[in-house]
Amino acid sequence: ASLHLVQGIPGEDLGFDPAMPVDLAVNGTCILRGVSFGQIQGPLSFAPGVHQFNFSHADRFSACANSGA
């Protein structure tokens, strides 16, 4: 399986930094850090099966800290 991450949420619409960087954790492992509005990452490849994806606001001090991962 593969995934493309498109960060398409402008932070200014929500009262945040316009870049609104996000982190992505998959199955509890942080795999992308600080993806900003307008950026595209991927394709990311995953083994077949069920995966848990957690997106969160980027934390520059602790990657994926806000994702619950």
Side-chain angles (χ1 to χ4, degrees):
S2 64
L3 167 86
H4 283 82
L5 171 64
V6 178
Q7 201 321 34
I9 302 171
E12 59 196 9
D13 287 355
L14 302 172
F16 296 112
D17 173 359
M20 197 168 136
V22 297
D23 293 340
L24 169 63
V26 178
N27 300 327
T29 300
C30 190
I31 64 166
L32 290 175
R33 299 175 180 185
V35 180
S36 294
F37 173 66
Q39 289 186 317
I40 300 171
Q41 299 288 324
L44 306 170
S45 296
F46 301 96
V50 176
H51 301 281
Q52 181 179 5
F53 296 90
N54 292 302
F55 300 91
S56 63
H57 291 277
D59 182 329
R60 65 182 178 169
F61 300 108
S62 182
C64 296
N66 299 313
S67 71

